[in-house]
Amino acid sequence: MSFLVIGECVADIVRAPAGSGAADRVHPGGSPANVAYGLGRLGRDVTLLTQLADDPTGRLIGEHLRTAGVRVEAGGAPERTPSAVVGLDAQGAATYTFDIAWTLTGGAPAGLAPAHVHIGSIAAVTAPGAAAVLAETGRLRGRATVSYDPNVRPGLMGEHGAAVARVERCVALSDLVKASDEDLAWLYPGEDPHTVAARWLSLGPAVVLVTRGAAGSLAVTRRETVTADAPPVAVVDTVGAGDSFMSAVLDTLAGQGREALGALGAEYLAGLLRRAGAAAAVTVSRAGAHPPDRAELDAAEEEFALRSGRVS
């Protein structure tokens, strides 16, 4: 099964804590790129339609993606590779300051026929490139399932009402949506995540997933509502955690068509959340957006099961 991910690459410049004497760290990033990288690490056939400049960070990101087997297709070349200055608090939680432009033109190469398309983050809602993302997703949706992660960046979203409308347009194109509780708090202040998930289901998706950090995760379909705990883990930083969760979800659901997604049972959904949570736990246990490969993920899931008493 082949995957197409459409979206931005970003050089994450992780600031060292003030007074630590440590140097800043530069990590390949960008939510869609992280998802593609995570799928590649899990052995999946994946292409990333993106933009990379011919500069040091662009070459760094391109090589990073290729080490996981990701094919990189250029949709136009920006003057410089986008960057994000990442600040970490005492608990390793990340905040971002972006320098990014998104001017994607064109679509996937002729002959590429992915079974699944993933979109999200800055690329899906930022003009002018978002128009190309949505056009390509719409073109492929007749023969491919679609997933979406809003990965909200408030400083880049513009006026709130218009931003919500753009996000909901992407939700309506999708079969599976994953959002964090922080995403939902910005989009719909004061609303319960269960309420938002139910409303999004009415727009078209079969499954809505909500990640809640250390509080675990939630899966909602028209038939089921399932929660799962997060694995206990010592957090180094949270960069890329949600993207690792998304990659593990897509890997686990590979081959499930639209009708099958809507019919997923509670037990299956609980296992899906646990496996994706294990992937996120591996990622937060080390610096940068470095998701597990399949052997690491299998081991992490087994350890989580043992700790929680599900395996004797």
Side-chain angles (χ1 to χ4, degrees), residues 118-146:
H118 176 72
I119 62 173
S121 195
I122 297 162
V125 296
T126 301
V133 174
L134 297 182
E136 186 66 354
T137 303
R139 183 181 74 83
L140 294 170
R141 193 176 187 278
R143 58 178 181 269
T145 49
V146 177

Side-chain angles (χ1 to χ4, degrees), residues 188-251:
Y188 309 103
E191 288 200 49
D192 182 85
H194 294 78
T195 302
V196 176
R199 188 163 67 249
W200 278 4
L201 288 173
S202 72
L203 297 177
V207 184
V208 175
L209 308 176
V210 181
T211 57
R212 302 184 290 186
S217 55
L218 166 72
V220 183
T221 71
R222 291 175 182 81
R223 300 180 181 184
E224 306 286 353
T225 297
V226 177
T227 60
D229 295 332
V233 63
V235 176
V236 173
D237 70 45
T238 61
V239 177
D243 304 323
S244 292
F245 186 101
M246 186 83 251
S247 296
V249 164
L250 297 181
D251 172 69

Side-chain angles (χ1 to χ4, degrees), residues 8 30-32 34-36 96 116-122 124-125 146-153 157 167-168 170-185 187-188 193 196-198 200-201 204-213 216-221 226 238-251 253 261 269 272-277 279-281 283-284:
E8 75 273 5
S31 177
N34 290 342
V35 172
Y96 298 83
H116 185 86
V117 178
H118 176 72
I119 62 173
S121 195
I122 297 162
V125 296
V146 177
S147 57
Y148 171 58
D149 177 1
N151 191 44
V152 169
R153 300 301 181 217
M157 297 298 286
V167 166
E168 290 182 348
C170 295
V171 170
L173 273 174
S174 304
D175 303 292
L176 168 72
V177 180
K178 191 278 292 182
S180 71
D181 52 359
E182 293 179 344
D183 294 335
L184 300 186
L187 290 165
Y188 309 103
V196 176
W200 278 4
L201 288 173
V207 184
V208 175
L209 308 176
V210 181
T211 57
R212 302 184 290 186
S217 55
L218 166 72
V220 183
T221 71
V226 177
T238 61
V239 177
D243 304 323
S244 292
F245 186 101
M246 186 83 251
S247 296
V249 164
L250 297 181
D251 172 69
L253 292 175
L261 288 174
L269 290 167
L272 174 70
L273 294 178
R274 287 193 297 267
R275 186 165 176 83
T283 302
V284 302

